[in-house]
Amino acid sequence: NVNNVNNSGPGECTVIDLPRQMECNPGYKCTIMEVDGSIGCVNNGPLSIGDVCVPISPGVTQDGCPALSVCVPKDSELGICQAYCEALYYPCPREGEICYTEVDVDGGTAKICEPADECDPYWNPSLGADARYGCAADEFCYGFMAGEMQRKCVSENDSTKVIGDKLKGEPCSESLDCAPGHVCFGSPTEAVCSYLCNTQEDCGIDYCTRLSPDDEYGLCM
């Protein structure tokens, strides 16, 4: 605990403590306190991650969610307690969730877990533009190479996640920089868009290489 010795009051915290929860005094959690994005310590809530909750609103700092989580709005009045996370596109502690959402807050950016999607990121243009493999008509399935292949349906109309158009061999920082059917693969300084493949025919003169025997698809390399 980095706050006062007597542990009186909630204490203070910063955005880097959201997925760590080490700066507030006992009984309090570090969270997004207001709709303006301010970060601070408030009482731990009685709910559990995954429970229905009421998002914070102007003047309201309590959302009922436990430490390590925040109430993410899902409709006009209610939300779901979702965990904070540190590394974008990595698996979250709760099975079936991916570190996906970014929220601008006071002092930086908060990252929040979201349910992953059971969709197929392999996209063969010969099957037509409507072959979205488990996603809605205005969405494409993207795979993220962090940890195991995490998958998420990304809408063409999403203002927070923009679908890219880079093709095989072009530099990237994340899979969403690439066109559908690709993933961003490589070291942080040398990552490029790589085409997902099922058979050698997908890759032309390149090899369809599976990084491990258990991989559903390979990469054209």
Side-chain angles (χ1 to χ4, degrees), residues 105-154:
V105 296
D106 185 27
T109 302
K111 299 177 179 65
I112 301 171
C113 296
E114 289 283 350
D117 291 314
E118 295 183 4
C119 61
D120 193 340
Y122 173 76
W123 184 67
N124 189 335
S126 67
L127 298 179
D130 291 332
R132 306 301 177 108
Y133 298 95
C135 297
D138 68 338
E139 297 175 335
F140 284 100
C141 182
Y142 269 84
F144 302 93
M145 297 295 291
E148 299 176 359
M149 179 78 75
Q150 305 297 303
R151 302 173 182 188
K152 193 72 178 171
C153 291
V154 186

Side-chain angles (χ1 to χ4, degrees), residues 5 44 155-156 168 181:
V5 176
N44 282 330
S155 173
E156 296 171 303
K168 180 180 172 295

Side-chain angles (χ1 to χ4, degrees), residues 89 142-145 164 172-179 182-184 193:
Y89 305 129
Y142 269 84
F144 302 93
M145 297 295 291
C172 55
S173 59
E174 61 176 66
S175 289
L176 287 175
D177 293 337
C178 308
H182 298 72
V183 295
C184 188
C193 295

